[in-house]
Amino acid sequence: MKNYVGIDVAKTSLAVAFPLPTGGWTNTTFANTPEGIRSLIKQVPPQAHCILEATGSYSVLVTYLLCQAEINVSVINPKQSHNFAKMQMSVTKTDPRDAVLLAEYGRLIQPALYQMATDSLLRLRQKRALLRQYHNRTADAATQNFAEFATFIRCFTRQGRSYSAEFTNDD
């Protein structure tokens, strides 16, 4: 029998719902870091099938390390889990509750397994992401530098007016 494990991925943490033998769930939180994910992998039960949402760059590392550990993983569209939560009439929106909903989604829907891309494709995607981040940072820096320059010009202009008033004042 498969054990469905729900993982709600955030920027710095992973809320995980593990199934209990008596039914129900136990929730644990791990850091969304290589060390935290390795701790998670050690606690994943045998024949586990992990379900998580595609959350952009936040879910890439956990997906990669789970696949490397040969743990079954399904990465679903966030709209699928959102609509599933509506069907369950879930009104509580917390990370532990979302992890339980993801595990229940896996148990009921049994989504397809995620197929990890080849290493060369992963490297290409990483390079593309790094270039995008570099571009965004340089654009942000240019915007910030322009704003600082504009502030300097405004202050200089104001001071220039007051200085010129001092020198032209014929007292």
Side-chain angles (χ1 to χ4, degrees), residues 27-84:
N27 289 93
T28 310
T29 302
F30 298 91
N32 193 357
T33 62
E35 298 79 26
I37 297 168
R38 286 187 195 102
S39 297
L40 162 64
I41 289 170
K42 289 177 187 172
Q43 293 187 31
V44 171
Q47 298 180 354
H49 185 160
C50 295
I51 313 296
L52 55 111
E53 292 177 338
T55 55
S57 60
Y58 300 149
S59 61
V60 171
L61 182 61
V62 66
T63 304
Y64 177 77
L65 291 176
L66 287 169
C67 287
Q68 291 297 314
E70 298 181 359
I71 295 172
N72 292 329
V73 179
S74 291
V75 180
I76 64 171
N77 186 316
K79 283 190 175 196
Q80 291 172 293
S81 63
H82 177 74
N83 290 332
F84 180 77

Side-chain angles (χ1 to χ4, degrees), residues 101-140:
L101 278 170
L102 288 167
E104 289 176 346
Y105 177 90
R107 184 176 55 82
L108 294 172
I109 306 298
Q110 299 177 358
L113 293 177
Y114 178 77
Q115 298 297 315
M116 179 58 69
T118 64
D119 284 342
S120 59
L121 184 57
L122 285 173
R123 276 195 293 284
L124 183 62
R125 286 180 182 164
Q126 288 172 337
K127 288 178 184 178
R128 186 178 63 190
L130 287 172
L131 282 172
R132 190 177 321 115
Q133 290 171 358
Y134 174 75
H135 174 73
N136 290 343
R137 284 186 182 160
T138 54
D140 290 345

